[in-house]
Amino acid sequence: MSARPPFPGQQPAPLLAPAKKIIAIASGKGGVGKSTVAANLAVALAKAGHKVGLLDADIYGPNAPIMLGAEDYAPVNNKLPPAHVHGIELFSMGFIVRPDQAIIWRGPMLDKAIRQFVTDVAWGDLDVMLIDMPPGTGDAQLAVSQSFALTGAVIVTLPQVVSQADARRGLEGFREMQVPILGVIENMSYMLMPDGSKIDVFGHGGGKQLARDAGVEFLGEVPLDPQVRIGGDGGVPVVVSQPETAVALSFEALARAVYDRADTEPADGPVTISEI
Ligand SMILES: Nc1ncnc2c1ncn2[C@@H]1O[C@H](COP(=O)(O)OP(=O)(O)OP(=O)(O)O)[C@@H](O)[C@H]1O
Ligand SMILES: [Mg+2]
């Protein structure tokens, strides 16, 4: 298997493929709902019959254990078993470090840690792995792009202009690393009121605009719904706790859209250092 360009001074390492499809859920912007989208898409894909792994690659602020009700999970042996929650396999830095412990790592250390999430974790025979990315376009994005045979990246944005700008930077970061962009998801698109009307809390249409500007597919919208936050804080994603709600159905439709896009995305060609 080919390798993407390494950090300066490093030898390229072979790309890891812990699942048939590996999809990064990312954004240049913090707090737009990457972890929420990743958790709900992962569980929705499992409900649809796929074998799903979720890797929480936000090593500085791992949120997936709380969002999926696995914060008490503590793997013991050397070949770390992932947690099994809501029909998916989950691994997170949060299983290894205490909540009151800070993690300060430079690029190469981060690179090593990210690779250990595959080499040291006893993942099952996965159809699809989603990777919940930390915000930004820094070392973690590089490490994940250089370590995994990514099928592609899904970019999450809020509708407003400032979020679009940061999400665009995240998108272009993956492009620079030769990672295909599967599409854009607009989160917190609108709030559905009890009378059926909609309020555009953060504006509307920014996700579509970003997709158009970047020349990628717009995958769909997720409404703003307090049940999403309650589900995240309570460890039961809304696709499990309130499966009939509009927001849960939007996650299920998005899971299908993301999976279909990953199915049609041609495999990445070999990349050599001379190409960049
Ligand atoms: N559609 C939604 N409706 C209501 N609340 C939401 C929605 N999406 C996300 N949230 C809430 O917004 C907050 C931020 O979401 P989340 O942690 O998923 O963002 P993130 O992009 O992963 O953040 P970070 O950059 O810190 O990793 C959380 O409290 C989450 O429950
Ligand atoms: Mg997050």
Side-chain angles (χ1 to χ4, degrees):
M1 194 167 288
S2 72
R4 293 200 171 85
F7 287 107
Q10 274 188 318
Q11 288 304 308
L15 295 180
L16 301 164
K20 294 185 187 83
K21 300 177 203 308
I22 309 167
I23 302 164
I25 309 294
S27 181
K29 181 91 175 153
V32 296
K34 296 176 292 299
S35 302
T36 304
V37 167
N40 279 283
L41 291 191
V43 174
L45 286 167
K47 282 173 74 181
H50 303 291
K51 282 185 231 142
V52 184
L54 175 61
L55 171 58
D56 178 5
D58 192 343
I59 60 147
Y60 301 115
N63 292 145
I66 290 178
M67 289 186 172
L68 288 148
E71 67 266 46
D72 293 333
Y73 181 71
V76 277
N77 29 17
N78 278 347
K79 189 75 179 172
L80 305 168
H84 290 258
V85 277
H86 302 297
I88 68 167
E89 296 184 15
L90 168 69
F91 205 85
S92 168
M93 197 64 191
F95 294 158
I96 299 169
V97 293
R98 298 188 315 271
D100 60 354
Q101 214 176 339
I103 306 168
I104 303 166
W105 280 343
R106 288 179 179 279
M109 284 164 80
L110 185 74
D111 202 35
K112 193 167 165 227
I114 296 270
R115 295 185 77 84
Q116 283 179 334
F117 279 137
V118 176
T119 54
D120 293 4
V121 177
W123 296 101
D125 183 19
L126 301 175
D127 296 322
V128 53
M129 174 181 275
L130 300 186
I131 305 182
D132 177 9
M133 297 293 297
T137 51
D139 286 347
Q141 204 182 24
L142 271 171
V144 166
S145 304
Q146 290 169 336
S147 299
F148 288 85
L150 289 174
T151 310
V154 168
I155 305 297
V156 181
T157 186
L158 300 194
Q160 77 267 35
V161 174
V162 284
S163 180
Q164 276 175 61
D166 288 354
R168 178 74 189 260
R169 270 185 277 280
L171 187 155
E172 296 303 338
F174 277 110
R175 270 191 172 148
E176 267 179 48
M177 299 300 295
Q178 326 282 329
V179 175
I181 307 299
L182 301 180
V184 171
I185 291 176
E186 182 179 284
N187 188 26
M188 309 194 207
S189 288
Y190 55 85
M191 197 152 109
L192 202 53
M193 304 310 285
D195 67 358
S197 63
K198 293 176 178 177
I199 298 180
D200 293 341
V201 181
F202 298 111
H204 194 78
K208 263 188 192 147
Q209 184 68 46
L210 170 63
R212 220 177 2 249
D213 291 349
V216 301
E217 191 163 321
F218 179 65
L219 296 165
E221 300 171 344
V222 179
L224 178 68
D225 185 329
Q227 290 302 329
V228 174
R229 201 271 311 149
I230 291 165
D233 282 350
V236 184
V238 75
V239 292
V240 175
S241 62
Q242 312 262 318
E244 301 306 326
T245 52
V247 69
L249 295 175
S250 73
F251 278 127
E252 300 211 348
L254 277 166
R256 284 191 293 275
V258 167
Y259 194 84
D260 288 350
R261 279 291 287 128
D263 235 7
T264 52
E265 191 58 46
D268 232 0
V271 178
T272 60
I273 300 170
S274 60
E275 284 179 64
I276 57 160

